[in-house]
Amino acid sequence: MRRRYYRSTILCVLLMSSNLVIIASAHSDDTERVGEQLYNKYHCVICHGALGGRPVEPTYPRLSGQNKIYLQNQIKDIRDGKRENGLSHLMRPLVKNISDSEAGIIAYFLSIQSVAGK
């Protein structure tokens, strides 16, 4: 009786774990899709190129593959006027309406892109 109970418990735990992996994978796919939509909605693609990997000017930073927290902080700092260096004054009008959560989603999207971009 005990063996059957333990087998059932182990089977349930394994099934629950596999479902969590599937749910987490689906969540990250959705977040990536939404991140790309936000990246385009806020016109980031105009200067930083597709997927953040091909800036249109050599002085513009390549965003693909950067650390998520770093990117999120840069978006928020430019939006909030805490960052004044470089060409951040040109970005401010474009990022002024990005919420903290949207900044995180865009940062996640960029962080998982290959460094070369497309």
Side-chain angles (χ1 to χ4, degrees), residues 14-93:
L14 289 174
L15 286 172
M16 287 171 55
S17 298
S18 65
N19 285 339
L20 289 175
V21 170
I22 291 168
I23 290 168
S25 176
H27 175 70
S28 65
D29 289 345
D30 288 343
T31 304
E32 181 178 0
R33 181 181 48 75
V34 171
E36 184 171 15
Q37 290 171 347
L38 290 170
Y39 180 78
N40 291 315
K41 172 186 174 183
Y42 288 109
H43 309 293
C44 309
V45 68
I46 293 170
C47 295
H48 297 285
L51 309 178
R54 299 212 173 159
V56 297
E57 293 289 329
T59 56
Y60 297 168
R62 180 172 293 193
L63 304 177
S64 60
Q66 294 279 353
N67 178 278
K68 176 190 176 269
I69 301 300
Y70 171 78
L71 291 168
Q72 183 176 5
N73 288 338
Q74 294 305 306
I75 293 168
K76 290 169 30 178
D77 286 351
I78 292 168
R79 177 197 67 197
D80 298 340
K82 294 179 182 175
R83 182 176 161 191
E84 297 289 337
N85 62 329
L87 298 173
S88 56
H89 66 281
L90 296 175
M91 277 188 59
R92 192 161 299 111

